[in-house]
């Protein structure tokens, strides 16, 4: 009688095509190996075939699920199906909730496949997603930056490591290893994405096989022990995602694709690849007469010159000049050590500030990064400290373009952490120059009983302020040790780009910033005076009946500020009241400038929207379309009567 197989094998596990379960008789971890997330990346299938040939001799404990994900795209040798989407952007919690609630008939193949595979992936303790790249690239490992991942990462034999995509909320939708998580959220499952090399590189199978077997060996599941890994690693953090222009707009191209005699071509004429250092001022992208140059040196990751509209062109990385740290052994101890390092850094910066030094920036991202730094400093003060408070003055509207979103990311994350930590916060909202999107952000703020909102609709938005600490206390006792003031000068431009048709899609808004930050008494006095004037404007607006609905809803505090209700129906009611208070003045400003014009489409609509924005000061192109245009057969028709139409509040705030 022949000996029974040592490993139980179930193909089409759970009735799902492309899923094979290999189970040892000895208990152990559950590991998922994923291949073909993108159909034109064959390395995962090759690893699956090799795994099947040796599993009976090698698997000594636990269970391994081998998943071939995008089988239809693989049959077509395409990244995804013709009417499909990137499967590797569908795994965050919100994406999975949307897919589970949808009618399967309304979903594309990749979406249905994700819903089908999610239960298998959820059952795993560890996950490895195997990929390859369109351009030549050295193998690199992508993972969440925490202790559990670091301990395993240093055992997998990959020299190049990449973090930040999840923690920095760089991607929407989510990578496969971030299954069921919100952007930036920690999770129990340890997951890695391996980019093994270029699709056609014969060495990428060895790279992927080595990582897969080293992972199983480190978990005590594999019989063959690989040789130890030299402790030499390069760790990079992704800080930006740069995407191709949307459909209908002239696409960006890499300078390498230009003729060698074109003045816009890269100075070196080189073909950019992953992990190349791009020099400051080096041309990176070209579109028509526009040239995008590197604002500062950075490391490029996964350039994709053939990216379709809206897809990723490349990622901006920065090198972390330190080895992977696998000590201290617990997250709690790591947080203690990190807090100590941050406090020491705060003290070093304090010395410079107390000498009266000012920090000045003419770079828009660095300006907001400086603000993020001081917000973090305030958040780290102990609860109850008299200077643990923030005052923020501005329009709060940084998502007019993808560039604005990227440059403001750290700043908004710091504000969100401060609010979640219960830091008392006064928000003085400058109504002029603000679009509707700040109301959407208001819905996402965590509950904070010490949040006070003030509304000033008589002042332009060209100056924003951040006050950290109790500035009145500092002025009274002369101790400015814990006080910081950031004064930010802002200017915005709106340009017509391409053939936009709806909601100002052909308009590109850009906000430039310069700022000064310090604690000199004269700067603190100036900021205090501005805040006082804006508080008076808030009180006057309430006295004159503007924002009447807020008072009627009982959302005013005794000091006249607007309270932030808990998230739910009352928060929604506040949003509705603020929206009406924002839109009614827009109607008044628009009315003299509207005419019954013929239908406008493409660039004609974009040019008209830009003109109306200039004439009225209404900064929100999408809102202008809703207020002043109706859709006709030949395009969008400018119609003054539309100003009197009722506002569909849910759709405005969606």
């Amino acid at each position: 009688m022949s000996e029974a197989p040592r490993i139980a094998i179930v193909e089409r596990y759970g009735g799902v095509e492309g899923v094979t379960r290999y189970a040892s008789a000895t208990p152990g971890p559950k590991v998922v190996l994923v291949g073909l997330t993108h159909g034109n990346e064959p390395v995962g299938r090759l690893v699956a075939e090799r795994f099947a040939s040796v599993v009976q001799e090698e698997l000594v404990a636990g269970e391994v699920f081998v998943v071939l994900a995008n089988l239809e795209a693989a049959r077509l040798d395409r990244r995804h199906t013709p009417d499909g989407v990137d499967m590797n952007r569908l795994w965050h919690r919100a994406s999975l909730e949307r897919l589970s609630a949808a009618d399967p008939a309304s979903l594309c193949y990749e979406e249905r496949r994700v819903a089908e595979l999610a239960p298998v992936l959820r059952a795993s303790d560890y996950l490895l997603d195997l990929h390859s790249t369109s351009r030549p690239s050295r193998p690199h490992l992508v993972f969440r930056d925490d202790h559990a991942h670091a301990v395993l990462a240093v055992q997998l034999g990959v020299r190049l490591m990449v973090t930040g995509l999840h923690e920095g909320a760089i991607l929407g939708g989510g990578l496969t290893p971030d299954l069921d998580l919100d952007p930036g959220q920690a999770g129990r499952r340890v997951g890695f994405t391996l980019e093994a090399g270029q699709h056609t590189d014969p060495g990428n199978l060895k790279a992927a096989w080595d990582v897969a077997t080293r992972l199983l060996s480190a978990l005590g599941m594999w019989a063959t022990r690989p040789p130890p890994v030299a402790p030499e690693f390069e760790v990079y953090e992704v800080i930006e995602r740069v995407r191709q222009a949307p459909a209908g707009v002239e696409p960006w191209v890499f300078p390498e694709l230009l003729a060698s005699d074109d003045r816009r071509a890269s100075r070196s004429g080189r073909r950019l690849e992953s992990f190349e250092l791009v020099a400051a001022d080096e041309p990176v992208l070209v579109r028509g007469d526009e040239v995008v140059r590197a604002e500062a040196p950075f490391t490029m990751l996964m350039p994709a010159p053939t990216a379709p509209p809206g897809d990723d062109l490349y990622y901006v990385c920065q090198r972390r000049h330190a080895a992977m740290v696998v000590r201290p052994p617990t997250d709690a101890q790591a947080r203690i050590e990190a807090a100590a390092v941050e406090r020491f850094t705060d003290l070093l910066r304090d010395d410079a500030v107390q000498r009266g030094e000012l920090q000045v920036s003419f770079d828009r991202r660095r300006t907001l990064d400086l603000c993020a730094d001081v917000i973090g400093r305030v958040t780290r003060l102990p609860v109850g400290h008299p200077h643990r408070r923030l005052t923020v003055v501005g329009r709060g509207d940084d998502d007019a373009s993808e560039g604005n979103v990227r440059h403001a990311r750290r700043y908004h994350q710091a504000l969100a952490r401060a609010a979640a930590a219960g830091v008392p916060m006064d928000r003085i909202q400058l109504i002029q120059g603000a679009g509707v999107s700040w109301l959407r952000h208001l819905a996402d703020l965590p509950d904070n009983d010490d949040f006070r909102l003030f509304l000033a609709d008589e002042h332009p938005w060209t100056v924003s302020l951040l006050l950290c600490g109790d500035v009145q206390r500092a002025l009274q006792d002369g101790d400015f040790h814990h006080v910081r003031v950031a004064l930010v000068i802002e200017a915005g431009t709106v340009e017509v780009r391409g053939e936009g048709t709806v909601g100002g899609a052909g308009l590109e808004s850009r906000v430039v910033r310069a700022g000064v930050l310090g604690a000199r008494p004269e700067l603190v006095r100036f900021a205090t005076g501005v805040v006082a004037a804006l508080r008076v404007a808030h009180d006057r607006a309430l006295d004159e009946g503007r924002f009447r609905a807020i008072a009627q809803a009982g959302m005013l505090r005794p000091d006249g500020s607007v309270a932030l209700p808990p998230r739910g129906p009352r928060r929604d009611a506040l949003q509705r009241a603020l929206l009406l208070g924002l839109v009614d003045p827009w109607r008044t400003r628009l009315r003299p400038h509207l005419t019954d014009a013929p239908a406008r489409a493409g660039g004609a609509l974009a040019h008209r929207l830009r003109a109306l924005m200039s004439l009225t000061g209404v900064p929100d192109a999408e809102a202008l379309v809703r207020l002043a245009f109706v859709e006709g057969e030949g395009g969008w028709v400018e119609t003054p009567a539309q100003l009197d139409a009722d506002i569909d509040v849910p759709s405005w705030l969606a």
Side-chain angles (χ1 to χ4, degrees):
M1 181 181 294
S2 61
E3 184 179 350
R6 204 168 50 83
I7 304 301
I9 302 175
V10 179
E11 297 181 351
R12 291 186 66 96
Y13 177 79
V16 180
E17 182 184 11
V19 178
T20 305
R21 174 179 179 260
Y22 301 90
S24 168
T26 303
K30 294 182 179 180
V31 176
V32 172
L33 302 179
V34 182
L36 298 184
T37 296
H38 299 133
N40 62 341
E41 299 175 12
V43 65
R45 186 194 295 276
L46 298 175
V47 168
E49 292 170 353
R50 185 168 177 181
F51 186 88
S53 70
V54 301
V55 65
Q56 290 291 349
E57 294 77 30
E58 292 287 359
L59 188 63
V60 295
E63 302 173 46
V64 177
F65 296 82
V66 175
V67 175
L68 298 179
N70 201 334
L71 293 169
E72 182 61 28
R75 281 190 278 268
L76 300 171
D77 192 27
R78 297 179 58 140
R79 183 175 175 85
H80 50 72
T81 56
D83 60 345
V85 295
D86 188 343
M87 185 178 281
N88 209 27
R89 301 292 186 272
L90 297 175
W91 298 97
H92 280 169
R93 180 182 57 82
S95 298
L96 292 172
E97 289 178 352
R98 175 181 66 83
L99 296 181
S100 66
D103 178 359
S106 69
L107 303 177
C108 67
Y109 173 80
E110 282 81 5
E111 292 173 325
R112 293 194 300 273
R113 191 72 172 142
V114 163
E116 190 176 40
L117 294 174
V120 178
L121 273 59
R122 284 193 179 104
S124 66
D125 304 307
Y126 301 88
L127 189 150
L128 175 62
D129 191 16
L130 300 171
H131 289 257
S132 54
T133 57
S134 59
R135 283 199 166 193
S137 173
R138 290 179 287 168
H140 55 279
L141 203 62
V142 182
F143 54 92
R144 301 195 298 275
D145 189 7
D146 59 31
H147 176 71
H149 284 82
V151 169
L152 269 178
V154 298
Q155 302 178 63
L156 300 185
V158 183
R159 183 186 182 97
L160 299 175
M161 302 183 180
V162 177
T163 65
L165 278 171
H166 178 77
E167 303 91 306
I170 303 296
L171 292 179
L175 301 178
T176 309
D178 303 324
L179 172 82
D180 280 334
L181 300 179
D182 290 323
Q185 182 183 8
R188 66 161 188 87
R189 186 180 300 104
V190 175
F192 299 95
T193 298
L194 174 70
E195 298 286 352
Q198 193 174 21
H199 303 328
T200 56
D201 184 350
N204 63 22
L205 172 58
K206 180 182 184 306
W209 180 255
D210 284 351
V211 171
T213 54
R214 283 184 179 276
L215 174 62
L216 296 173
S217 176
L219 298 174
M221 301 171 62
W222 203 244
T224 300
R225 299 290 180 180
V229 179
E232 297 177 357
F233 309 104
E234 296 177 24
V235 185
Y236 294 83
E237 182 177 6
V238 179
I239 59 174
E240 284 190 30
R241 170 197 191 191
V242 179
R243 293 190 290 181
Q244 181 57 277
V249 178
E250 183 180 357
W252 294 104
V253 299
F254 284 77
E256 68 189 49
L257 302 179
L258 301 173
S260 59
D261 59 349
D262 193 310
R263 62 179 176 80
R264 301 168 299 167
S266 174
R267 291 174 300 192
S268 63
R270 61 178 169 150
R271 190 169 184 262
L272 289 169
E273 299 177 1
S274 286
F275 299 101
E276 284 204 49
L277 183 63
V278 178
D281 200 44
E282 183 173 348
V284 182
L285 295 174
V286 176
R287 180 173 65 185
D289 294 330
E290 297 178 84
V291 179
V292 174
R293 297 177 179 272
E295 296 180 358
F298 72 90
T299 299
M300 180 173 284
L301 182 66
M302 290 191 285
T306 59
D311 272 18
D312 304 335
L313 275 171
Y314 62 90
Y315 297 94
V316 176
C317 296
Q318 60 186 10
R319 175 83 181 273
R320 280 170 35 183
H321 293 282
M324 286 295 295
V325 178
V326 295
R327 293 289 187 272
T330 69
D331 286 345
Q333 290 175 340
R335 283 192 291 271
I336 292 171
E337 289 193 8
V341 171
E342 288 175 327
R343 182 61 187 141
F344 181 71
T345 304
D346 290 342
L347 292 172
L348 292 178
R349 291 174 178 164
D350 286 349
D351 291 341
V353 172
Q354 295 312 303
R355 291 194 300 269
E357 295 181 13
L358 297 174
Q359 291 179 284
V360 179
S361 170
F362 295 97
D363 176 85
R364 51 182 173 160
R365 178 177 9 193
R366 173 159 172 75
T367 299
L368 291 180
D369 284 353
L370 289 173
C371 294
D373 288 342
V374 295
I375 292 171
R377 183 189 185 283
V378 170
T379 305
R380 290 190 290 273
L381 291 174
V383 175
H385 194 288
H387 288 287
R388 192 175 189 263
R389 61 181 309 106
L390 293 167
T391 300
V392 183
V393 179
R395 65 173 190 159
D397 196 0
D398 282 308
D399 56 2
S401 73
E402 184 181 358
N404 293 341
V405 172
R406 291 198 310 270
H407 291 113
R409 182 175 287 113
R410 274 197 62 213
Y411 171 73
H412 287 301
Q413 287 174 340
L415 276 178
R417 282 193 292 268
V423 174
M425 189 181 303
D426 286 357
R427 169 76 199 183
I428 301 180
Q429 176 65 43
L430 302 181
I431 300 299
Q432 291 197 42
V436 174
S437 62
W438 73 273
L439 293 174
R440 301 186 186 115
H441 296 320
L442 192 70
D444 298 328
L445 284 175
D447 296 344
N448 185 344
D449 292 336
D450 290 319
F451 182 94
R452 302 190 304 171
L453 178 65
F454 299 88
L455 306 164
D457 62 352
E458 301 175 357
H459 298 265
W461 63 274
T462 51
V463 176
S464 293
L465 283 171
L466 173 68
L467 284 71
C468 301
D470 188 337
V471 293
Q472 292 292 348
R473 184 189 187 106
L475 289 170
Q476 290 171 5
D477 60 25
D479 181 3
F480 295 88
H481 184 76
H482 291 290
V483 169
R484 301 288 185 276
V485 170
L487 170 65
V488 180
I489 308 298
E490 301 174 310
T493 61
V494 179
E495 300 296 335
V496 176
R497 304 292 188 199
E499 296 296 318
T501 55
V502 181
L507 295 177
E508 180 177 301
S509 298
R510 177 184 173 91
V511 178
V512 295
R513 293 182 174 91
V516 57
L517 187 147
R520 296 182 63 158
E522 54 266 41
L523 182 61
V524 176
R525 291 191 187 96
F526 168 80
T528 304
V530 172
V531 169
L534 295 174
R535 289 282 301 273
V536 170
H538 167 85
D539 294 340
R540 184 162 54 245
L542 293 177
D543 290 342
E544 294 174 358
R546 285 171 283 178
F547 307 107
R548 183 180 294 106
I550 299 173
Q552 292 173 343
M555 296 180 187
L556 292 182
R557 297 175 181 269
D559 63 2
S561 66
V562 180
L564 183 68
R567 282 183 284 194
R570 281 178 56 77
R571 179 85 63 94
D572 296 340
L574 174 61
Q575 279 186 287
R576 289 194 295 271
L578 289 171
L579 175 63
L580 296 175
L582 187 68
V583 170
D584 285 344
W586 288 354
R587 287 167 159 161
T588 302
R589 278 183 262 161
L590 277 168
R591 203 173 296 277
H593 300 288
L594 295 184
T595 59
D596 286 303
R600 304 175 188 269
L605 174 63
H607 279 284
R608 179 55 177 161
L609 290 173
R610 184 177 66 170
L612 287 173
M613 293 166 77
S614 176
L615 289 167
T616 65
V618 177
D620 194 319
E622 181 182 353
L624 281 175
V625 172
R626 291 175 181 270
L627 285 172
F629 292 81
V630 295
E631 192 170 11
E633 292 184 1
W636 290 83
V637 181
E638 185 175 323
T639 308
Q642 179 68 8
L643 288 175
D644 299 318
D646 291 335
I647 291 177
D648 180 12
V649 173
S651 68
W652 277 67
L653 296 175

